[in-house]
Structures are given as C-alpha cells and as structure tokens.
C-alpha cells in the first residue's frame, strides 16, 4: 500500500491527524552517539533491549514503581534528567508514570507498530526509547508519560 491510500484509509477512521501531530521536534541537547557494541557494553541486556530496540518491560516489574522519594529520574543510557519526582504519579498501569517531562529532555515520534498510531518518546541526548505518552493523565497537563522502568535510573535529592 502506498502512502496516499494508507492516509486515505486512516482518514476514514479519523486517524490521519494523529500521524502528523507527533513528528520529532528539534533538540537543544548535544547528541550522544555510540556504536552498538558500546551500547551493549554500557547497558544491561534488559535496558539494551528497551533503549536501543524499543522493547517493553513487563508491567509491574520495575522497582521504580514504588519509588516515592524526592529526586530526579534520568535516562539509563546517558544520565540525562528526564523527569522530576514531583511529576510522578500512580497510573495503575504497572509502569512508572509522569504527567510532564523536563523541558527539552524528550523527543517524540509516531509509532504505528500496533496499527493505531501512538506517540513514542525517546531521550533527547542518546535517542534511547523510554515509552509512550497518552492523553489520559492527571492535571495540570492531562498527559501520561508511561515509562519503562529499566530505561530510567533514580537519583535521590
């Protein structure tokens, strides 16, 4: 199927606007580029699968679900601060969830691996896959950044 019939089909289901809405934004953060071998050496096998191959950890498997101290959540690949503890909330999904990221810390793109488009987000420095953002979160943003815990490290304040 070429792009035009695909977009026409998506329009019929009201999905085409979502494809254009979540395009990557330009980052102000200098990128960290490593070889695949360097990433494998730097990361645990689980973190490598999630961060470098857009995998997903099992829900409820992350110790960060129970992390309630003040501090910052950083990318497990490059230590870029992504979320503050003040924005963490219990979503009931089994993954650490946040209602806002630190400004300019994440970049988004459209993910259509599950047919319906979703907004995927990555670390702005290393490009590591973190999770997906949804519009069903709490105030003040209404967003839910659903993050793989293995893609994060917590640094207490």
């Amino acid at each position: 199927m070429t792009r035009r019939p695909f977009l026409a089909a998506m329009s019929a289901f009201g999905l085409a606007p979502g494809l254009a809405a979540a395009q990557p934004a330009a980052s102000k953060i200098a990128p960290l580029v490593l070889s695949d071998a360097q990433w494998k050496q730097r990361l645990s096998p689980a973190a490598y699968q999630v961060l470098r191959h857009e995998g997903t950890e099992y829900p409820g498997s992350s110790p960060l679900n129970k992390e309630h101290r003040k501090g910052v959540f950083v990318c497990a690949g490059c230590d870029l601060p992504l979320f503050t503890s003040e924005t963490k909330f219990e979503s009931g999904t089994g993954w650490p969830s946040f209602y806002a990221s630190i400004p300019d810390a994440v970049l988004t793109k459209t993910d259509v691996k599950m047919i319906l488009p979703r907004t995927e987000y990555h670390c702005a420095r290393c490009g590591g896959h973190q999770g997906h953002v949804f519009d069903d979160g709490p105030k003040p943003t209404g967003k839910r950044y659903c993050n793989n815990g293995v893609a994060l490290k917590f640094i207490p304040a």
Side-chain angles (χ1 to χ4, degrees):
M1 176 180 284
T2 64
R3 186 171 191 260
R4 188 167 297 201
F6 174 75
L7 290 175
M10 292 294 106
S11 293
F13 295 107
L15 299 175
L19 291 175
Q23 297 306 311
S27 175
K28 299 174 185 173
I29 297 169
L32 171 66
V33 180
L34 299 175
S35 70
D36 191 58
Q38 289 171 309
W39 283 119
K40 280 183 180 177
Q41 186 176 32
R42 184 180 187 123
L43 301 169
S44 71
Y48 174 79
Q49 183 59 32
V50 169
L51 288 164
R52 305 320 308 166
H53 294 286
E54 299 178 349
T56 301
E57 69 186 355
Y58 289 107
S61 65
S62 176
L64 294 181
N65 287 332
K66 295 180 177 147
E67 182 56 70
H68 300 292
R69 296 175 289 170
K70 291 208 179 279
V72 65
F73 294 85
V74 303
C75 175
C78 69
D79 296 328
L80 180 70
L82 303 178
F83 303 98
T84 64
S85 58
E86 288 79 18
T87 63
K88 187 173 186 283
F89 71 99
E90 178 52 54
S91 66
T93 62
W95 289 281
S97 297
F98 306 86
Y99 64 77
S101 65
I102 292 173
D104 301 318
V106 300
L107 300 176
T108 62
K109 72 177 189 176
T110 300
D111 168 10
V112 291
K113 291 182 204 96
M114 298 195 62
I115 306 203
L116 295 176
R118 301 183 296 171
T119 302
E120 181 178 304
Y121 62 97
H122 294 253
C123 171
R125 179 182 290 150
C126 71
H129 171 73
Q130 295 293 320
H132 292 85
V133 62
F134 303 96
D135 291 324
D136 60 1
K139 291 182 179 184
T141 65
K143 301 289 183 189
R144 174 174 52 96
Y145 289 82
C146 191
N147 217 99
N148 287 284
V150 73
L152 295 171
K153 293 189 284 189
F154 178 72
I155 310 294

